[in-house]
């Protein structure tokens, strides 16, 4: 059984629209909602990048049922991990415990703005290790003092936090990151539907934990327009995350994807009005063993019509094909 979520894509929507979309997605019947946390969009054409945490606060109070999650927050440069812990605790309280903190090692695109340079991948992983330890300890309560290779914390304490803590979901891409983070996380985040990731995660975690994936689609009544929109706004994904993490700005993404063709994008993203094509788009995640799949509708202006389509056609079709999850919220192991 698979839970189906909706992505609040901050790169293609302004803050007030994102809150309205979150409410509409809950009414449409989505099980959970995830939100990106960027300082920049990948491409200028996307046009937006509001502060995710302000929007999350509004979404937490405007919705009642859906699970909420960052997909994902980087706690290593732009945000100090002690501040991330405070933000997560506050959103968890505002949402009455519906929030999961998704964490990853970030992208140069967003982290370069603080002017500290972009560390190598191995250093970023070291920084994330320390950040997770600090966040976990602060969310557990009490005063925290920490001195590590990359961070210092001096007598920090979260005065408002949920008694049960906040689940942490860690982004992984291969065996090394799986073995590194499965033992310390409550859920897995991945953007590729790889069965080896799922099997390795459960083995390293010693438990069957939530696995959250994400699938873009470009729904719309005109297939050609849907392909055009997907190419204009989502061709950035073609380089893969190892490349995407290193590019410093939108100009870099535009240059790196200048030769990506419309047919290349259409082969990776279901485009047009066919419900069955969008149902099939998530099958690799379901068959790989992911418990949660968040859909991304390409195009900010498409969100209201897409959410109505999801309510009346897409979500019923997804649940008929893959079953309806009995426990759709993102919940990790008790700690």
């Amino acid at each position: 059984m698979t839970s189906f979520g909706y992505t609040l894509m901050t790169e293609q929507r302004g803050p007030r629209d994102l809150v309205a979309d979150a409410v509409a997605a809950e009414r449409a019947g989505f099980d959970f909602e995830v939100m990106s946390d960027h300082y920049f969009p990948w491409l200028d054409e996307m046009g937006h990048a509001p502060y995710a945490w302000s929007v999350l606060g509004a979404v937490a109070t405007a919705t009642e049922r859906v699970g909420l999650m960052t997909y994902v927050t980087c706690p290593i440069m732009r945000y100090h991990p002690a501040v991330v812990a405070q933000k997560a605790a506050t959103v968890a309280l505002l949402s009455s415990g519906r929030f999961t903190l998704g964490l990853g090692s970030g992208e140069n695109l967003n982290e370069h703005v603080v002017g500290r340079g972009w560390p190598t991948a191995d250093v970023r992983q070291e920084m994330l290790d320390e950040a997770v330890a600090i966040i976990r300890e602060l969310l557990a309560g009490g005063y925290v003092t920490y001195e590590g290779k990359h961070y210092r914390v001096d007598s920090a304490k979260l005065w408002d936090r949920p008694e049960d803590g906040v689940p942490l979901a860690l982004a992984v891409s291969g065996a090394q990151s799986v073995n590194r983070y499965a033992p310390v996380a409550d859920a897995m985040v991945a953007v590729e539907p790889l069965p080896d990731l799922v099997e390795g995660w459960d083995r390293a975690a010693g438990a069957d934990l939530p696995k959250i994936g994400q699938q873009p689609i470009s729904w719309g009544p005109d297939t050609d327009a849907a392909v055009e929109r997907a190419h204009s706004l989502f061709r950035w994904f073609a380089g893969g995350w190892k490349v995407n993490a290193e590019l410093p700005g939108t100009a870099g993404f535009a240059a790196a994807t200048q030769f990506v063709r419309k047919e290349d994008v259409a082969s990776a993203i279901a485009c047009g009005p066919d419900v069955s094509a969008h149902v099939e788009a998530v099958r690799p995640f379901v068959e790989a063993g992911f418990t949660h799949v968040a859909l991304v509708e390409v195009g900010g202006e498409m969100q209201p019509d897409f959410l109505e389509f999801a309510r009346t056609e897409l979500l019923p079709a997804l649940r008929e094909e893959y079953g309806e999850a009995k426990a759709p919220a993102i919940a990790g192991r008790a700690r």
Side-chain angles (χ1 to χ4, degrees):
M1 303 297 182
T2 306
S3 297
F4 293 102
Y6 172 71
T7 300
L8 295 159
M9 200 77 172
T10 60
E11 297 78 19
Q12 61 177 16
R13 207 80 160 125
R16 294 181 67 87
D17 287 330
L18 286 165
V19 177
D21 294 341
V23 172
E26 182 175 64
R27 290 174 179 166
F30 281 98
D31 298 315
F32 66 100
E33 300 178 10
V34 304
M35 180 179 288
S36 52
D37 183 0
H38 275 208
Y39 202 95
F40 270 73
W42 288 282
L43 296 166
D44 287 350
E45 293 91 331
M46 300 184 85
H48 294 279
Y51 184 53
W53 290 91
S54 296
V55 180
L56 272 170
V59 168
T61 57
T63 57
E64 299 176 354
R65 172 188 56 80
V66 288
L68 302 174
M69 177 179 161
T70 50
Y71 201 102
V72 290
T73 288
C74 174
I76 68 171
M77 292 183 67
R78 190 166 38 116
Y79 307 138
H80 189 283
V83 177
V84 173
Q86 184 187 36
K87 293 191 286 191
T90 299
V91 172
L93 290 172
L94 285 170
S95 63
S96 299
R98 292 182 284 128
F99 180 65
T100 297
L101 176 60
L103 297 171
S105 57
E107 299 173 67
N108 194 5
L109 175 71
N110 305 298
E111 307 308 310
H112 79 271
V113 298
V114 296
R116 293 176 54 192
W118 187 230
T120 59
D122 59 332
V123 172
R124 299 197 301 266
Q125 294 297 310
E126 289 179 0
M127 296 171 77
L128 184 57
D129 290 348
E130 289 192 19
V132 169
I134 292 166
I135 291 167
R136 178 74 77 188
E137 190 171 356
L138 282 166
L139 289 171
Y143 284 93
V144 174
T145 296
Y146 181 93
E147 184 172 352
K149 182 178 179 181
H150 300 285
Y151 302 106
R152 293 175 61 95
V153 178
D154 183 8
S155 301
K157 177 182 176 179
L158 299 180
W159 290 90
D160 293 278
R161 64 177 187 86
E163 288 298 323
D164 295 333
V166 178
L168 304 186
L170 269 292
V172 298
S173 59
Q176 183 176 355
S177 53
V178 163
N179 291 329
R180 192 167 195 151
Y181 295 119
V184 299
D186 304 305
M188 180 187 92
V189 174
V191 295
E192 292 184 279
L194 303 177
D196 288 349
L197 286 180
V198 172
E199 295 166 6
W201 179 272
D202 286 344
R203 184 168 55 251
D208 184 7
L209 300 176
K211 275 79 64 174
I212 306 113
Q214 189 179 55
Q215 177 62 43
I217 62 176
S218 185
W219 170 84
D222 184 304
T223 299
D224 290 340
V227 171
E228 177 68 35
R229 187 171 65 251
H231 180 262
S232 174
L233 300 177
F234 262 64
R235 67 185 186 276
W236 56 267
F237 78 92
W241 287 104
K242 288 187 178 181
V243 173
N244 291 353
E246 306 300 330
L247 296 176
T250 56
F253 279 90
T257 59
Q258 62 182 311
F259 299 116
V260 176
R261 304 168 301 172
K262 292 179 183 179
E263 52 265 38
D264 297 326
V265 176
S267 68
I269 298 176
C271 298
D274 185 1
V275 178
S276 63
H278 300 303
V279 170
E280 285 301 308
V282 306
R283 188 176 297 280
F285 281 101
V286 175
E287 292 184 345
F290 282 73
T291 58
H292 295 69
V293 181
L295 300 177
V296 184
E297 165 64 6
V298 177
E301 77 286 353
M302 297 299 298
Q303 303 308 306
D305 288 344
F306 166 74
L307 288 167
E308 179 60 18
F309 162 70
R311 183 185 71 82
T312 58
E313 298 185 57
L314 181 56
L315 285 171
L318 286 169
R319 287 167 179 148
E320 181 178 357
E321 181 67 21
Y322 302 117
E324 188 162 354
K326 295 180 180 178
I330 302 169
R333 56 185 154 195
R335 288 184 180 271

